[in-house]
Amino acid sequence: ERGKRERVCMCMIFPCAPNLFNVLSSTWPLNKLLNELLCKPPGPFSTTNWTKADGENCYGSRDGHPAHGATDLEQPPSASCGTMPLAACQEKCLELANCTAVTVRRAASGGQDLYECYRKTDVSLGHCDAGTDFDTYVRHPWVLADGFNCYPGHGAQDLEQPPGSDCGTMDVRSCQSKCAATPQCSGVTWRGSDHSGVGLCYRRAALDLSRCDRNTALDTYVWGA
């Protein structure tokens, strides 16, 4: 019965990918799972708040090759759903019940405000292609960039005083609240402590995920406000 309850909790956290439980249980550090369960409970995706991940191209499996951070919702998977303004692309996403993000690229012709629109779900920024001419917008005020460490010279400005320090030990939600109360803050980098659900909080500005360190023991949460 305990295993069944744990599986239900995991599927609530990842409603778009219920089969992800077996992967997460074997690959995610326990402190990260604990934090997601206790400190950052799931909620519905927003219909108005979109967080931008600059330069991130997220797409699904193609021609037998593994996915790069997303599941495609177009048919065929590599197709777009048209060329349109960004707001129209986001509206197109809302038309699909399981769409949680869009990846866009500025159209080669037709004006500066037109984009090729690709609807996505199951986005994981740590596995998308970085530094591309695509951007990805996720329907959530805070988006996790798993394993990203962003700091001066590596994709972020440090807002702590003195530089290099943290602003305390806390859970992710409290860290995000500190950022929201800080002028210029556009995200946080968080270093979790094993098994505790809390970690060191570092407030950041001017985030550029394409320049952050990847595959580290830290995570960065990008704020779309």
Side-chain angles (χ1 to χ4, degrees):
E1 288 297 321
R2 180 182 178 186
K4 291 181 181 178
R5 287 196 297 270
E6 289 174 349
R7 188 180 184 97
V8 169
C9 289
M10 294 305 297
C11 289
M12 288 176 65
I13 294 172
F14 298 98
C16 297
N19 294 328
L20 205 55
F21 176 83
N22 292 329
V23 176
L24 291 178
S25 61
S26 62
T27 61
W28 269 33
L30 182 58
N31 71 296
K32 190 173 296 184
L33 292 176
L34 198 62
N35 180 70
E36 291 292 326
L37 282 168
L38 299 178
C39 307
K40 196 167 179 284
F45 280 89
S46 176
T47 58
T48 56
N49 290 333
W50 296 80
T51 298
K52 181 182 181 182
D54 290 285
E56 297 286 318
N57 182 15
C58 307
Y59 55 94
S61 176
R62 308 279 174 82
D63 300 322
H65 298 289
H68 285 226
T71 298
D72 298 306
L73 295 178
E74 311 300 344
Q75 292 298 328
S78 60
S80 74
C81 64
T83 299
M84 61 199 74
L86 175 60
C89 179
Q90 292 169 337
E91 286 296 323
K92 281 277 190 183
C93 178
L94 297 178
E95 293 174 2
L96 295 180
N98 58 339
C99 183
T100 59
V102 295
T103 294
V104 300
R105 179 171 60 180
R106 193 175 297 277
S109 60
Q112 290 295 308
D113 296 325
L114 295 179
Y115 298 84
E116 300 169 5
C117 177
Y118 305 85
R119 294 171 291 184
K120 311 291 181 179
T121 191
D122 305 334
V123 168
S124 174
L125 294 181
H127 298 91
C128 303
D129 294 348
T132 75
D133 57 352
F134 291 83
D135 298 316
T136 292
Y137 292 81
V138 184
R139 291 174 48 203
H140 207 281
W142 286 93
V143 176
L144 168 64
D146 184 24
F148 283 59
N149 182 14
C150 306
Y151 55 97
H154 291 250
Q157 295 177 8
D158 191 344
L159 294 180
E160 305 303 340
Q161 292 297 327
S165 64
D166 60 80
C167 64
T169 300
M170 62 199 75
D171 60 59
V172 167
R173 177 170 287 183
S174 299
C175 184
Q176 292 169 340
S177 296
K178 278 198 169 278
C179 175
T182 304
Q184 298 183 315
C185 188
S186 58
V188 297
T189 294
W190 185 83
R191 182 192 293 272
S193 300
D194 286 345
H195 315 303
S196 68
V198 298
L200 298 175
C201 176
Y202 305 87
R203 292 167 292 185
R204 303 298 191 224
L207 280 167
D208 180 356
L209 294 180
S210 67
R211 299 177 59 205
C212 300
D213 295 349
R214 294 188 174 213
N215 302 313
T216 77
L218 291 86
D219 297 317
T220 291
Y221 291 81
V222 183
W223 188 26

